[in-house]
Amino acid sequence: MMKRLFVMLCLQAGLMATCFGQVPEDGLKKKNISDTFLLPSRTLLLQGTFNGQSALMQLFPGKHYRLVDGKYVNEMINWECKTCKARTYEDVNEDNPGGFPYKPGVATRLMNVMDFKDSSGQQYKVISFNHSEFDEDGAQVSRFTGGLLGLAKFVQTDQGWNLRMFQPAIKAYGAFSSCPTPQPLLIGTDQYAFMLKHSNGGGGGPFDGAYFLIAGVNGGYQQVMAAYGIERTEGGVEEGPQSFWTSTYTVPPSDKKYFRDIVVTLKGTVSANDTDRLPDDVTALLKGKKTAHFIAEERFVYKGATKGYQLQLPVKATLTK
């Protein structure tokens, strides 16, 4: 049903080419791969100049497609694993995405390639990729289902680019089976983590946002921070004034060698009849006012591998003109 609705929306907007690209008449195919390709202990050495898409194709050697329609490119690797034992990964939308690898098959897409160099001059590449259920039309549907995130880290050696850390699947974020692109964040000495800005909501909005931070812990990648209520967009048909705000995040200078504090700054307008997802420290500033402009600072402190980053209270909040 969701796919049919999505197709209808594409047709109504005249965007069928943008939604699906140039799909072969007999539909897209998938290829069976071995369960050994999904082991975190996987080894891989890439020769020559690093290419993110080529690296992904060796990590997941399925059926590769690059569908082009004007400026729109829909590139994916379609695969299935008949001998894999499916495992459930959390979707932050709270929908149950089903076991991964998905029973209908998997479409894996490259999101970005991130370049790093540490203080010794050692060079690294980290690629992020998105998994969604295989679709013979190449579509990504389901409004309230995120895209399953995976990461792979390569280090440059005399022999080539050697796979150092591989996490085939972490959690699902975003909407329409599409994960937000991770952004690198320096949180310690030569220590990078990856921030995702997740946003979702009902048709027409408003949309609520959250930050999720992924970092290397105990030899693998995992989510170490969740900051909810970091954004509320304007939109939707509601009675009375609505709250809306935006946010930014920083890592202030610190003596901590690793996992330094992260500060999220909220800025916007709060309405007395719409205080959901805002800190109590912000709503307390209203003091009889119907609406007010505010700025709030949330500090997240790392409490170890089990607890990750935790919000420190109270939140610093003030009114602005």
Side-chain angles (χ1 to χ4, degrees):
M1 175 61 73
M2 283 299 299
K3 180 179 175 181
R4 288 199 297 270
L5 289 173
F6 184 65
V7 172
M8 289 174 64
L9 289 172
C10 290
L11 286 170
Q12 290 172 359
L15 297 176
M16 181 58 76
T18 302
C19 294
F20 300 111
Q22 296 176 341
V23 179
E25 290 185 2
D26 59 347
L28 305 181
K29 307 300 180 183
K30 57 190 174 182
K31 179 181 177 182
N32 183 52
I33 68 173
S34 168
D35 52 12
T36 59
F37 286 107
L38 299 184
L39 295 175
S41 58
R42 174 88 181 275
T43 60
L44 180 63
L45 182 64
L46 305 176
Q47 304 288 343
T49 302
F50 188 88
N51 179 280
Q53 187 63 48
S54 296
L56 189 65
M57 289 170 63
Q58 293 197 53
L59 288 172
F60 302 96
K63 186 72 173 176
H64 175 244
Y65 289 94
R66 190 173 189 272
L67 310 178
V68 180
D69 197 323
K71 295 182 179 180
Y72 174 71
V73 178
N74 186 6
E75 189 164 11
M76 76 209 79
I77 302 168
N78 294 330
W79 56 276
E80 63 181 344
C81 180
K82 296 179 180 179
T83 58
C84 284
K85 183 178 180 180
R87 175 182 172 184
T88 299
Y89 291 85
E90 181 183 348
D91 189 319
V92 299
N93 297 292
E94 298 183 357
D95 277 13
N96 183 359
F100 176 83
Y102 308 121
K103 189 173 181 180
V106 183
T108 300
R109 292 172 170 87
L110 179 70
M111 287 193 288
N112 67 351
V113 178
M114 294 168 278
D115 299 282
F116 305 100
K117 182 184 289 187
D118 64 22
S119 56
S120 70
Q122 181 67 66
Q123 290 187 313
Y124 301 88
K125 303 276 190 182
V126 176
I127 64 172
S128 67
F129 41 92
N130 179 96
H131 303 298
S132 58
E133 281 196 4
F134 166 77
D135 186 287
E136 64 180 11
D137 290 325
Q140 292 171 266
V141 298
S142 183
R143 178 70 180 88
F144 294 102
T145 299
L148 186 57
L149 171 70
L151 293 170
K153 178 180 181 180
F154 294 83
V155 57
Q156 190 177 43
T157 67
D158 292 338
Q159 292 74 39
W161 292 94
N162 191 32
L163 181 62
R164 174 67 59 85
M165 192 181 298
F166 179 45
Q167 199 73 30
I170 302 172
K171 283 187 179 182
Y173 305 91
F176 290 114
S177 303
S178 182
C179 179
T181 301
Q183 300 300 322
L185 182 66
L186 186 64
I187 61 172
T189 303
D190 294 332
Q191 182 191 21
Y192 279 90
F194 310 99
M195 188 73 84
L196 297 99
K197 183 181 179 182
H198 165 90
S199 183
N200 211 335
F207 302 108
D208 290 300
Y211 289 133
F212 295 99
L213 187 71
I214 311 298
V217 179
N218 298 328
Y221 288 114
Q222 67 181 54
Q223 179 183 300
V224 296
M225 189 185 89
Y228 297 98
I230 58 92
E231 181 181 68
R232 168 72 63 80
T233 65
E234 295 183 75
V237 179
E238 303 287 347
E239 294 182 1
Q242 300 299 301
S243 299
F244 56 92
W245 62 94
T246 59
S247 68
T248 57
Y249 57 85
T250 59
V251 180
S254 170
D255 293 334
K256 295 181 180 180
K257 189 173 183 180
Y258 303 115
F259 294 105
R260 293 168 182 159
D261 296 357
I262 298 172
V263 173
V264 176
T265 302
L266 313 177
K267 186 176 182 180
T269 299
V270 55
S271 173
N273 68 338
D274 181 25
T275 59
D276 183 40
R277 293 182 178 268
L278 277 170
D280 293 339
D281 310 80
V282 172
T283 58
L285 297 174
L286 285 168
K287 296 179 180 178
K289 298 181 178 68
K290 291 184 178 180
T291 61
H293 303 294
F294 73 91
I295 186 169
E297 182 180 287
E298 298 180 329
R299 180 174 290 267
F300 291 82
V301 178
Y302 190 69
K303 298 295 185 179
T306 302
K307 294 184 177 180
Y309 278 91
Q310 298 292 311
L311 175 63
Q312 301 301 290
L313 299 175
V315 172
K316 296 180 181 179
T318 58
L319 295 182
T320 60
K321 294 183 180 180

